[in-house]
Amino acid sequence: MTRRRSWAEPWKIKVVEPIRMTTRGEREAAIREAGYNTFLLRAEECYIDLLTDSGTSAMSDRQWAGMMLGDESYAGSRNFYALQDAVRTYYGYEHLIPAHQGRGAEHILSQVVIKDGDFIPGNMYFTTTRLHQELAGGTFRDVIIDEAHDPASEKAFKGDVDLAKLRALVDEVGAERVPYITVGVTVNLAGGQPVSMANLSEVAAYCREHGILVILDATRAVENAYFIQQREDGYAQKSVARILREMCDLSDGATMSGKKDSLVNIGGWLGVRDPQIAERARNLVVVYEGLHTYGGMAGRDMEAMARGIVESVDDDHIRARIGQVEYLGNALIAGGVPIVRPIGGHAVFLDAAAMLPNLPRDAFPAQALAAALYVESGIRSMERGAVSAGRDPTTGEHRFPALELVRLTIPRRVYTQAHMDVVAESVLEVLEQRDRMRGLAFSYEPEHLRFFQARFETFGGDGIFA
Ligand code: F0G
């Protein structure tokens, strides 16, 4: 018999927040009231909330202690300098432009660098990032490798940029119309998939040669660094902190949502090396976010993020964080649930198209599956398929991405292994009832980022289950 050697989280629980299970009748009413959109549920109506890992982390005692050291001066708060030091040390960007969250930084960067008619390549789109590029007059082009669009491909670095696609774009439109490439590390909508250091180096070398900036979406860069440590030759002995720095050193800047890796509830930044871009960004940040030494964050928020950055790169922390996601993913695989492989960094992604082959794509199977999982179990998840992809700005048609997914996103340091067991069992229960599930049609469709506030009706009768 082989002896099992378990490991456990490198923390213990000091404060608890009660959660409440609801009845099935309550949940049926709640999801109908929410227009079958999990974003429109009240949090108190959810039992295990896996909507997102964004801003939902549990802060440590040290971070909470740091909140009491908030210097709420309008200008030049000491907490800004603490944050600047942490970003310089762990990410290596000289100039820090603080923002209220990631999309604030994306907005500033897009307005500063993109000219009307420019093209911005990226390794798969992200909702807010692409919209800010479009609003600044740019056109997004997907240059991720083909395997990223295949949920079953087991490739270790499914987030990699396809250099041939990048070259083809630059040859087609000219390097002068490509101000920068966004490299998401990890790639959220591909299933939390990482980019290899080898690929990042190649992208950086190509872009340097053509005068194109490399901007990381560093939102989950620590998780990416962990995958490099685990999977890429030559990195097993290096710390996650060192790998993170090596990744950032290949780039010219980054946008960051501190609400993920950095273990805080709010905050973000733009980090760059070029002093001229920094100056233009500082000029704009005062228009949209706040003074250039707080950018929409309170002093205490900046202190919590400075401390969160240090905790985030701890090898034990990140192993436990991703280990929990893998635990859930492996439980689902064992139960025969089709999920995106390999298991990603921040979430397990259910392959809704494979789970519900009878529902056509324009009946939004992932949206329906998220609603059904909620009704069955009180677990809140998020659609990441055609609803999230929105409409093509030129043709006005729905964009149907290859991936039609439901994301079970794991907040950091919040739930236990027992919660993960309940989640896996609940997904299996829904899978057994898939033949009774109804599709959805829009009853209200907002113009921008429609997934947040859209409302739906069920086809062929009331209720998500027939
Ligand atoms: N980039 C990535 C890869 C993200 O996942 C997010 C947010 C952002 C940028 C924008 O950051 O929310 O701070 O403005 N993702 C959240 C999610 C909303 O649930 O995946 P933000």
Side-chain angles (χ1 to χ4, degrees):
M1 201 182 94
T2 52
R3 266 256 213 74
R4 184 169 165 204
R5 288 292 298 272
S6 297
W7 55 270
E9 288 77 7
W11 38 260
K12 56 184 178 172
I13 296 165
K14 182 155 18 199
V15 177
V16 298
E17 179 182 344
I19 51 178
R20 189 178 74 89
M21 190 52 173
T22 45
T23 64
R24 195 180 179 101
E26 284 173 327
R27 293 193 296 277
E28 281 168 350
I31 198 74
R32 191 181 304 114
E33 182 72 17
Y36 297 94
N37 184 350
T38 52
F39 277 103
L40 301 181
L41 290 166
R42 291 176 183 228
E44 286 185 334
E45 294 165 340
C46 303
Y47 174 49
I48 299 175
D49 196 348
L50 306 185
L51 183 72
T52 176
D53 63 331
S54 182
T56 53
S57 296
M59 291 207 295
S60 68
D61 50 0
R62 280 157 203 251
Q63 286 177 290
W64 279 108
M67 298 282 278
M68 286 305 292
L69 302 176
D71 167 5
E72 306 306 342
S73 308
Y74 186 88
S77 159
R78 73 166 165 261
N79 313 117
F80 170 76
Y81 297 101
L83 179 60
Q84 181 173 265
D85 283 348
V87 171
R88 283 182 180 162
T89 303
Y90 293 99
Y91 292 84
Y93 303 116
E94 176 65 16
H95 302 287
L96 173 74
I97 291 90
H100 76 285
Q101 59 183 80
R103 70 198 72 180
E106 292 163 2
H107 176 214
I108 303 291
L109 175 75
S110 301
Q111 292 295 330
V112 166
V113 189
I114 298 173
K115 294 186 306 304
D116 214 22
D118 280 350
F119 289 82
I120 300 89
N123 54 344
M124 201 170 273
Y125 84 101
F126 184 72
T127 53
T128 57
T129 320
R130 179 175 65 188
L131 179 59
H132 278 301
Q133 293 165 350
E134 289 172 351
L135 292 173
T139 301
F140 170 83
R141 280 287 183 87
D142 189 2
V143 295
I144 203 166
I145 56 171
D146 287 341
E147 289 91 334
H149 298 283
D150 172 8
S153 160
E154 290 275 5
K155 203 172 183 327
F157 292 99
K158 268 168 99 172
D160 279 358
V161 171
D162 186 331
L163 267 290
K165 289 184 191 169
L166 177 60
R167 266 190 224 105
L169 171 67
V170 173
D171 291 347
E172 178 196 331
V173 305
E176 61 293 342
R177 287 170 75 196
V178 183
Y180 68 97
I181 178 172
T182 306
V183 185
V185 283
T186 57
V187 185
N188 188 351
L189 295 190
Q193 304 296 332
V195 176
S196 66
M197 195 74 82
N199 184 252
L200 206 49
S201 315
E202 273 188 85
V203 170
Y206 175 83
C207 287
R208 199 171 311 119
E209 203 181 302
H210 291 83
I212 298 167
L213 298 172
V214 176
I215 302 292
L216 298 184
D217 181 339
T219 296
R220 298 181 184 85
V222 179
E223 293 176 2
N224 198 105
Y226 175 76
F227 284 121
I228 289 175
Q229 184 192 57
Q230 298 300 307
R231 296 181 186 170
E232 193 162 350
D233 283 348
Y235 288 93
Q237 303 307 322
K238 289 190 183 168
S239 69
V240 163
R242 196 166 147 204
I243 298 169
L244 174 68
R245 195 48 207 273
E246 198 177 319
M247 288 164 56
C248 294
D249 286 351
L250 290 166
S251 74
D252 300 289
T255 55
M256 178 70 183
S257 169
K259 302 172 72 173
K260 285 79 163 177
D261 269 354
S262 303
L263 300 160
V264 288
N265 305 122
I266 195 73
W269 47 264
L270 166 67
V272 291
R273 301 187 205 289
D274 183 320
Q276 284 170 354
I277 295 178
E279 191 192 327
R280 276 160 41 215
R282 276 192 209 101
N283 276 324
L284 271 194
V285 84
V286 294
V287 181
Y288 294 109
E289 300 284 312
L291 195 73
H292 61 284
T293 54
Y294 75 84
M297 285 180 280
R300 55 181 172 268
D301 299 330
M302 294 189 280
E303 188 62 33
M305 179 143 55
R307 292 172 181 224
I309 288 172
V310 179
E311 293 178 10
S312 73
V313 297
D314 177 80
D315 287 272
D316 288 338
H317 158 73
I318 194 71
R319 181 171 55 242
R321 187 285 185 279
I322 293 185
Q324 189 179 44
V325 178
E326 284 174 348
Y327 177 85
L328 173 62
N330 284 325
L332 290 169
I333 291 170
V337 180
I339 65 168
V340 174
R341 314 285 281 264
I343 297 162
H346 63 302
V348 174
F349 289 73
L350 307 177
D351 184 349
M355 278 174 81
L356 305 171
N358 298 334
L359 284 187
R361 289 296 298 275
D362 61 2
F364 306 116
Q367 189 77 30
L369 182 60
L373 181 62
Y374 172 73
V375 168
E376 175 61 35
S377 62
I379 294 164
R380 172 152 70 168
S381 58
M382 184 194 289
E383 191 264 8
R384 292 274 85 152
V387 177
S388 292
R391 287 179 186 271
D392 186 299
T394 333
T395 66
E397 296 297 318
H398 291 306
R399 298 190 253 218
F400 287 108
L403 300 175
E404 176 74 11
L405 310 173
V406 168
R407 189 180 73 175
L408 302 169
T409 337
I410 315 301
R412 295 165 186 77
R413 308 192 294 206
V414 170
Y415 293 113
T416 66
Q417 193 159 311
H419 290 110
M420 296 302 114
D421 289 336
V422 170
V423 172
E425 290 159 18
S426 304
V427 173
L428 288 173
E429 291 277 335
V430 172
L431 189 60
E432 279 172 20
Q433 301 169 63
R434 62 174 144 187
D435 294 338
R436 293 173 43 225
M437 272 181 55
R438 294 196 167 114
L440 296 170
F442 275 103
S443 58
Y444 164 63
E445 184 184 347
E447 185 186 352
H448 293 307
L449 302 174
R450 62 183 183 177
F451 54 94
F452 283 131
Q453 297 170 91
R455 304 184 69 84
F456 298 85
E457 289 163 352
T458 51
F459 275 172
D462 192 29
I464 199 73
F465 289 106

